[in-house]
Amino acid sequence: MNSTVWIVDSYEEALAKNIVIVSLGLVINFINGMLVVTFFSNPMFSRDSRYILYIHLVINDMLMICLSVTLYVLTYASQLVNASLCYTLVFLGTTTFMITPLNLAGMAIERFIAICKPLHHTQICTPQRTHIFICLIWVVGAMPSLADIIILLSVQPISLFRSTVLCYTFSLFPTKHHKDRITASQVICMSLVWIILMYTYCRVLFTAGKAISKGSANKARSTILLHGVQLLLCMLSYITPVMDMFVAPFFPVHRTKITFFNYLITNIMPRLLSALIYGVRDQRFLKQMKELFACKIIIVKIVPSKL
């Protein structure tokens, strides 16, 4: 039943959807790419754990966009896809998705140490330890996907990876074990991140209001609010299946449009907003980006005039 729903789009509608998704993906990755170039243009950023975690979040979002858009286009281009390719893309996509909230938790802990333990910040939050933390969250983020593969290999022959499959999660992992694993990992991950955020931010608010100037306290409160907004944007992806389940049946004729809108709002747009939340707000980073790209624009304008 579900497989027939995905192929009812007319050629014009399917083409328009793919153009919108690919165009947005290119624009978002171009903007995020500017942030990455800005980070590597100044060695000062690579010595600050806050900026290291931030740029890792941006790069992770870029990878997620590439994988998500590739999977979206692939499902329209071919109904059946090589299983090895599909499982690889889904494995990487799921891993990058899990890393986002874990990275946010790391950023929250770093701000907690910087404000509540300022004398120990430089000793605790070193670049080397930050890189180790990033490696750890990649390992943790990959564990649910590895569990899926292990469960799959226990119930399916290895020849499955040489076949062709429908490249949808519900088709790749149809067993109850996979559904239970997905639910458990998502609940545990998001609950842990929310507990970390609530604890660290309450401590930050208390410390900022008690020991720091009013301006710094307001900035700390703004940072807390933006962290919360960013995590909520990340959590939007979890409500997509729920919206598809409860909203789409009331409008069966527009089911694919509802699915497309949900995907656009909950998976694509947050990848842009989450990067800009920090990149535009941080004055030091914004100043470096303006100087870097303003200089290149001036050079581009001067060179043609000489020719």
Side-chain angles (χ1 to χ4, degrees):
M1 180 67 180
N2 286 336
S3 60
T4 60
V5 174
W6 294 89
I7 58 175
V8 296
D9 287 343
S10 64
Y11 174 79
E12 292 79 8
E13 184 176 348
L15 180 63
K17 288 179 178 179
N18 279 272
I19 290 175
V20 169
I21 293 298
V22 172
S23 299
L24 282 174
L26 291 174
V27 170
I28 292 172
N29 273 358
F30 176 77
I31 295 173
N32 287 347
M34 292 174 62
L35 299 173
V36 174
V37 172
T38 302
F39 173 84
F40 287 105
S41 67
N42 192 332
M44 174 194 66
F45 295 131
S46 62
R47 295 192 293 266
D48 192 323
S49 58
R50 176 163 63 104
Y51 292 108
I52 295 173
L53 288 171
Y54 164 67
I55 209 62
H56 175 254
L57 180 69
V58 173
I59 294 173
N60 183 69
D61 281 348
M62 293 178 69
L63 290 173
M64 191 189 305
I65 283 288
C66 289
L67 293 166
S68 181
V69 171
T70 300
L71 281 169
Y72 189 89
V73 174
L74 200 60
T75 55
Y76 273 96
S78 177
Q79 185 175 0
L80 295 176
V81 182
N82 177 267
S84 297
L85 174 62
C86 184
Y87 278 107
T88 300
L89 292 174
V90 171
F91 176 88
L92 293 174
T94 304
T95 301
T96 55
F97 177 77
M98 292 292 293
I99 284 172
T100 299
L102 297 175
N103 198 102
L104 288 174
M107 295 172 74
I109 294 172
E110 188 276 332
R111 285 294 84 197
F112 163 73
I113 296 173
I115 295 176
C116 299
K117 309 287 183 181
L119 298 179
H120 303 285
H121 181 259
T122 55
Q123 288 79 27
I124 297 175
C125 299
T126 63
Q128 293 78 13
R129 290 182 176 179
T130 306
H131 294 147
I132 293 173
F133 173 77
I134 290 173
C135 292
L136 288 176
I137 63 175
W138 272 93
V139 172
V140 174
M143 282 182 178
S145 298
L146 287 174
D148 281 337
I149 299 299
I150 292 172
I151 294 173
L152 185 70
L153 290 175
S154 67
V155 297
Q156 296 287 347
I158 193 69
S159 59
L160 170 69
F161 294 96
R162 295 191 294 269
S163 62
T164 56
V165 294
L166 285 170
C167 204
Y168 302 111
T169 303
F170 65 82
S171 177
L172 298 176
F173 306 110
T175 66
K176 185 177 183 299
H177 297 292
H178 288 101
K179 295 177 181 178
D180 292 341
R181 199 284 307 159
I182 291 172
T183 302
S185 63
Q186 289 179 350
V187 170
I188 293 173
C189 178
M190 298 310 298
S191 298
L192 178 63
V193 173
W194 272 115
I195 290 172
I196 292 174
L197 288 180
M198 291 175 65
Y199 173 77
T200 55
Y201 291 163
C202 287
R203 290 290 303 274
V204 166
L205 280 176
F206 177 77
T207 304
K210 183 178 180 180
I212 304 179
S213 64
K214 187 175 180 181
S216 298
N218 290 334
K219 186 175 181 180
R221 292 188 183 95
S222 299
T223 301
I224 293 168
L225 178 61
L226 291 176
H227 270 87
V229 170
Q230 194 171 11
L231 187 60
L232 287 174
L233 289 174
C234 176
M235 292 184 66
L236 284 176
S237 299
Y238 290 113
I239 68 172
T240 302
V242 178
M243 294 178 66
D244 290 339
M245 183 185 301
F246 290 101
V247 178
F250 291 99
F251 308 95
V253 178
H254 303 290
R255 187 183 186 92
T256 57
K257 294 184 178 66
I258 294 172
T259 303
F260 170 75
F261 179 77
N262 287 343
Y263 172 76
L264 189 67
I265 298 300
T266 61
N267 287 274
I268 299 297
M269 297 309 297
R271 307 283 81 79
L272 172 63
L273 297 176
S274 63
L276 292 179
I277 279 176
Y278 290 97
V280 174
R281 183 172 178 268
D282 189 278
Q283 294 302 315
R284 186 187 303 176
F285 200 87
L286 183 60
K287 181 182 178 181
Q288 177 68 22
M289 186 165 60
K290 286 181 177 179
E291 291 177 354
L292 178 66
F293 290 100
C295 178
K296 291 186 176 181
I297 292 173
I298 292 173
I299 293 174
V300 170
K301 288 183 178 180
I302 291 176
V303 172
S305 64
K306 292 183 177 181
L307 297 176

